[in-house]
Amino acid sequence: MSDWLVTQSPLPRRRPRALSPLREHLRDTFWFAPTAAMVGVFVVWLVAQELDAALVRSLRDDGDYDTLAELLRFADDAKTVVSAVGSAMMTFIGVVFSISLVAVQMASGQFTPRVVRLFVRSRITKATFAVFLATFVLTLLVLTSYDSGADPDIVVSVPLVQSVLTLVMVALSLLLFVMYVNATLRLMRVSHVIARIAAESFRVAALMPVPADGEEAPALGSATAWVAHGGQAGVLRDVHIARLVRVARKHGVVLRMIPRIGDFLVPGTPVLAVHGGQAPPRRALRYALSVGVERTFHQDLAFGLRQLSDIALRALSSAVNDPTTAVQALDRVVQILATLSRRPLDAVVHRDRRGAVRLVQPVPGWTELVDLGFTEIRASAGGTPQVTRRMLAGLDDLLRLAPPDRREPLLRHRELLLRHRELLRQAVERSVPASADRDFGLQPDRQGIG
């Protein structure tokens, strides 16, 4: 278990941000934004209440009771509007988000359950829900600010600023509601869902460290110690790169991740190999690894291909029978693989400020990514010429699009790509009895069939 091979080692162009895992985890929750909005609106209400009280004190000190009486009449009229908004807002929230849950359920059934995460991470969805709840809380707080009496001589506060603030929040709620409906309808369309998945994949690839010219893989030798997973069982979602680099630098060692992002861990599984010294104390590695119930995009290079493959497989099932959706998924599979063909794979290296190697993190290799993108779709597309033609065109494009510096290693995978083509031909021959139909189904076409 001590003989581990570390391949190319990219050099990061910028240091990892320490709060990056926390920020990503908060984006995967739905409670943070509404809670922050309600706390924020409470603070704003306290400020508005103090401004209203200061306005009343200023008018009373100036003896301008006529203006104060006019403000009281305006506030009394505004109270009716505030009460109506407060009684209607919660009903509005319930109806809107009940419909949204139905839409999410339909999307997960049509595409894949993993696309629900796109709805959870949607900023416009969280902003709409947060503003709706904040508006409701504000109306309750404003109603408590009204004095029971209407005598300008004894009134303490006239909620003028608070009423105007409530109307502004109502207008903002209506605007966000229109934007929310538009965004939700877009996410229910498969083309936009596939585009979002591809965009997330490109973001993960862009954050991978890029090697310097002539950079060679470090020779780590045998491991001197091991660190086992001591937390709960689950999927490795991400690692706190900056923390692991700091710990390795402090103890003068090199840490090497053993599982990849997306692997399932059980307690006792070795997760870190230590090179060049003793294992850091467990408390130093606390919260360095995040384990959850499902995979996330944060550092998972293969998760986008996994989702696209799932969408294509469901589209090719006899229950759905939607080959056009499978072709759209294949479009993005080819695009992602073409982008990754230009990047070093198998492992990435993270360095400290002085350029010393401190963390080696495994990532999927080129062969694994090609298999993930094509194998399952190829096995299900034998009798669907639209998909087989698109897959053949995609394989041809991948062989042509490789840059010169990646052409030699890509040629080693040519046998793999040709094996995909041959297996695809065999699947079509088994599924399609007519020779003319087989020839038609095996002609490369970037649109499948026009």
Side-chain angles (χ1 to χ4, degrees):
M1 190 174 182
S2 60
D3 295 332
W4 292 82
L5 177 63
V6 180
T7 59
Q8 280 189 285
S9 52
L11 179 66
R13 288 179 177 175
R14 59 180 180 180
R15 297 182 60 205
R17 286 178 287 187
L19 293 181
S20 180
L22 175 61
R23 184 182 65 252
E24 291 296 324
H25 296 171
L26 290 178
R27 285 194 63 189
D28 285 331
T29 64
F30 207 79
W31 60 267
F32 179 74
T35 302
M38 288 188 289
V39 172
V41 81
F42 179 77
V43 174
V44 172
W45 170 74
L46 291 177
V47 175
Q49 188 182 46
E50 183 59 31
L51 290 176
D52 287 330
L55 178 61
V56 170
R57 288 194 300 268
S58 176
L59 292 175
R60 184 179 290 117
D61 293 342
D62 294 339
D64 193 356
Y65 291 98
D66 292 337
T67 303
L68 189 56
E70 290 291 335
L71 292 180
L72 282 173
R73 284 191 291 270
F74 173 81
D76 187 61
D77 294 336
K79 183 178 181 180
T80 304
V81 177
V82 172
S83 300
V85 171
S87 60
M89 187 56 68
M90 281 307 294
T91 303
F92 188 58
I93 292 174
V95 171
V96 169
F97 282 91
S98 296
I99 297 174
S100 300
L101 292 177
V102 174
V104 170
Q105 185 177 7
M106 293 177 59
S108 65
Q110 182 179 359
F111 308 139
T112 170
R114 279 152 290 283
V115 303
V116 175
R117 186 172 174 273
L118 296 178
F119 290 84
V120 175
R121 288 173 63 90
S122 174
R123 289 187 175 92
I124 187 63
T125 301
K126 293 179 182 178
T128 304
F129 192 45
V131 171
F132 281 7
L133 287 179
T135 303
F136 174 72
V137 171
L138 181 61
T139 58
L140 298 182
L141 295 173
V142 172
L143 289 175
T144 63
S145 300
Y146 284 92
D147 286 339
S148 57
D151 188 354
D153 295 329
I154 62 174
V155 70
V156 176
S157 175
V158 178
L160 176 64
V161 177
Q162 300 171 63
S163 300
V164 173
L165 180 61
T166 303
L167 297 178
V168 171
M169 290 294 292
V170 171
L172 180 60
S173 299
L174 295 176
L175 176 62
L176 283 175
F177 172 67
V178 175
M179 297 173 62
Y180 166 75
V181 171
N182 179 68
T184 302
L185 292 177
R186 285 171 61 90
L187 285 178
M188 292 179 64
R189 298 168 58 185
V190 65
S191 57
H192 291 285
V193 172
I194 291 176
R196 285 284 297 274
I197 293 173
E200 291 277 6
S201 299
F202 296 142
R203 187 177 68 88
V204 176
L207 292 176
M208 287 177 56
V210 178
D213 293 337
E215 187 74 24
E216 301 229 352
L220 299 182
S222 300
T224 56
W226 304 90
V227 177
H229 175 56
Q232 62 181 357
V235 176
L236 180 61
R237 299 192 300 177
D238 53 40
V239 296
H240 201 312
I241 295 173
R243 177 170 295 171
L244 289 176
V245 169
R246 287 197 302 267
V247 171
R249 183 183 69 244
K250 180 179 179 181
H251 293 83
V253 297
V254 178
L255 299 177
R256 176 167 50 83
M257 290 288 303
I258 300 174
R260 288 202 312 241
I261 301 298
D263 287 354
F264 190 86
L265 303 181
V266 297
T269 303
V271 291
L272 287 172
V274 184
H275 297 265
Q278 298 297 318
R282 185 171 295 275
R283 65 176 181 276
L285 300 174
R286 186 179 303 173
Y287 308 121
L289 277 69
S290 174
V291 174
V293 297
E294 63 178 354
R295 298 168 67 175
T296 67
F297 266 115
H298 182 206
Q299 297 174 358
D300 198 336
L301 186 63
F303 190 42
L305 290 174
R306 177 70 271 167
Q307 287 184 289
L308 292 174
S309 180
D310 288 345
I311 292 175
L313 289 175
R314 184 160 298 200
L316 291 173
S317 66
S318 57
V320 178
N321 194 21
D322 183 13
T324 302
T325 295
V327 169
Q328 290 179 306
L330 275 172
D331 291 340
R332 299 298 182 172
V333 168
V334 173
Q335 183 185 11
I336 293 173
L337 289 176
T339 301
L340 294 179
S341 69
R342 303 168 181 269
R343 306 188 67 89
L345 298 170
D346 295 320
V348 294
V349 166
H350 303 277
R351 301 172 181 265
D352 59 18
R353 300 175 185 174
R354 299 180 179 178
V357 175
R358 294 303 180 188
L359 176 65
V360 178
Q361 185 179 8
V363 296
W366 174 247
T367 302
E368 296 166 298
L369 293 174
V370 172
D371 283 338
L372 177 58
F374 288 116
T375 302
E376 295 174 303
I377 302 176
R378 185 203 68 235
S380 301
T384 310
Q386 182 178 0
V387 180
T388 59
R389 289 160 61 98
R390 179 63 187 96
M391 186 174 293
L392 286 172
L395 292 172
D396 290 339
D397 288 341
L398 286 175
L399 288 172
R400 285 193 296 263
L401 289 175
D405 57 341
R406 281 302 297 269
R407 195 158 293 163
E408 181 179 355
L410 183 61
L411 288 175
R412 293 199 298 266
H413 296 290
R414 182 180 178 86
E415 181 180 354
L416 170 70
L417 297 178
L418 293 177
R419 177 168 59 87
H420 277 297
R421 291 187 64 165
E422 182 59 29
L423 291 175
L424 180 60
R425 292 179 184 275
Q426 294 176 9
V428 172
E429 289 175 357
R430 289 193 302 267
S431 304
V432 183
S435 175
D437 291 338
R438 287 199 301 267
D439 294 339
F440 178 78
L442 291 172
Q443 292 177 8
D445 188 337
R446 291 190 180 88
Q447 294 186 15
I449 302 178

